[in-house]
């Protein structure tokens, strides 16, 4: 049984559409979320901790809303900002922006304790000095992390953990991205920032789960994961 490790049942409802009936269940475990300007390191470390808790295959999902005119705010801090400011105040922060362009990003991290061709460990920016100091291999991988996939997502981030923090548990990362803009609240479905995020004329809260999944950051990451997992 695959455990989707999250405190957010909305994420699991979306995942259920991609995975065979009954093959995924929620594990409500609040793993440590490290501070990083990028989602990859947060999800990767979370997946390792969650695997140790669950003792079986886990999927961890770190996601965020990135508002272009606010330099990507709230980004990896979306959960904290939702709890503190709330989505109405985020909408107000975006109101003076000319077009309020934004994007949702999602990084899924899979870990089952077994060996497989894992994604290279993502390095968060705070670790870069240490990683660069570690030698030429790291500068090569630093170049790798700047790549962009055809769908606009970052190519698999590459690098190594800083000295002394290397964790041998393999983790595979899957990324998804969806562009949109911040609008006045509309709709009653979904969760989190869905009512103020519009994509192709509809907010995510106006879409049912199936329609949201067809275009969303999580749907895109889940589709990549489901294809890989079926082979596994
Ligand atoms: P877990 O960490 O326990 O999985 P969480 O909801 O805190 O649950 P994140 O740390 O990934 O999840 O925080 C992401 C924030 O962005 C949180 O406020 C979510 O509500 C919001 N978010 C993520 N995906 C979203 C989506 O598809 N639609 C709307 N808001 C979303």
């Amino acid at each position: 049984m695959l455990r989707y490790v999250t405190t957010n049942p909305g994420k699991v409802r979306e995942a259920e559409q991609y995975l065979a009936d009954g093959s995924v269940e929620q594990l409500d475990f609040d793993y440590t979320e490290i501070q990083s300007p990028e989602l990859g390191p947060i999800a990767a470390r979370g997946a390792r901790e969650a695997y140790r808790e669950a003792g079986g295959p886990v999927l961890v999902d770190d996601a965020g809303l990135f508002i272009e005119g606010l330099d990507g705010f709230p980004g990896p801090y979306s959960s904290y900002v939702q709890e503190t400011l709330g989505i109405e105040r985020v909408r107000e922060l975006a109101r003076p922006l000319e077009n309020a362009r934004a994007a949702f990003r999602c990084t899924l991290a899979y870990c089952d304790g077994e060996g497989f061709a894992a994604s290279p460990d993502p390095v968060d920016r705070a670790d870069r000095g240490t990683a660069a100091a570690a030698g030429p291999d790291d500068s090569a991988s630093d170049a790798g992390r700047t790549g962009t996939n055809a769908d606009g997502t970052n190519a698999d981030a590459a690098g190594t953990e800083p000295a002394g923090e290397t964790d041998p548990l393999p983790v595979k990362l899957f990324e998804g991205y969806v562009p949109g803009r911040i609008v006045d609240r509309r709709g009653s479905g979904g969760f989190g920032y869905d009512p103020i995020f519009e994509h192709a004329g509809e907010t995510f809260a106006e879409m049912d789960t199936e329609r949201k999944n067809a275009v969303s950051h999580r749907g895109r990451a889940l589709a990549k994961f489901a294809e890989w997992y079926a082979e596994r």
Side-chain angles (χ1 to χ4, degrees):
M1 169 71 76
L2 174 62
R3 305 257 179 57
Y4 207 105
V5 184
T6 178
T7 58
N8 183 340
K11 292 181 173 182
V12 186
R13 273 197 299 278
E14 292 178 11
E16 279 166 348
Q17 288 206 337
Y18 283 86
L19 301 160
D21 272 357
S23 66
V24 63
E25 68 175 20
Q26 179 178 1
L27 174 60
D28 189 341
F29 170 61
D30 205 6
Y31 55 84
T32 313
E33 286 196 17
I34 60 162
Q35 285 207 344
S36 167
E38 291 169 28
L39 303 178
I42 304 172
R45 294 203 195 190
R48 292 185 173 117
E49 186 181 329
Y51 167 74
R52 293 195 174 96
E53 169 73 16
V58 293
L59 202 52
V60 159
D61 161 334
D62 202 55
L65 176 68
F66 295 73
I67 301 175
E68 199 178 290
L70 299 178
D71 294 340
F73 177 86
Y77 311 107
S78 295
S79 181
Y80 176 75
V81 170
Q82 187 190 325
E83 281 164 26
T84 51
L85 292 184
I87 69 168
E88 296 292 350
R89 286 172 73 191
V90 172
R91 197 284 170 264
E92 290 312 318
L93 285 174
R95 194 178 292 285
L97 304 174
E98 210 163 293
N99 52 34
R101 269 204 296 267
F104 268 125
R105 291 180 181 276
C106 173
T107 298
L108 293 177
Y110 174 81
C111 180
D112 62 14
E114 308 280 328
F116 52 78
S119 305
D121 263 334
V123 182
D124 64 72
R125 276 185 215 141
D127 291 344
R128 280 181 159 200
T130 322
D137 285 346
D138 297 307
S139 45
S141 53
D142 219 30
R145 64 181 290 106
T146 60
T148 303
N149 296 326
D151 65 355
T153 60
N154 289 333
D156 270 353
T160 56
E161 300 265 340
E165 287 187 35
T166 304
D167 191 325
L169 277 178
V171 170
K172 188 91 178 160
L173 300 180
F174 304 85
E175 297 184 337
Y177 161 95
V178 60
R181 64 188 191 109
I182 304 300
V183 296
D184 285 335
R185 167 190 280 274
R186 297 198 319 264
S188 56
F191 62 90
Y193 296 91
D194 282 344
I196 62 165
F197 183 81
E198 185 188 76
H199 173 82
E202 273 183 300
T203 68
F204 272 3
E206 291 175 309
M207 302 179 184
D208 62 22
T209 303
E210 202 174 330
R211 279 179 40 66
K212 178 183 168 186
N213 266 346
V215 294
S216 82
H217 52 311
R218 183 164 300 98
R220 288 174 189 186
L222 279 165
K224 292 179 196 170
F225 168 73
E227 191 183 333
W228 176 83
Y229 192 59
E231 293 291 313
R232 185 156 175 77

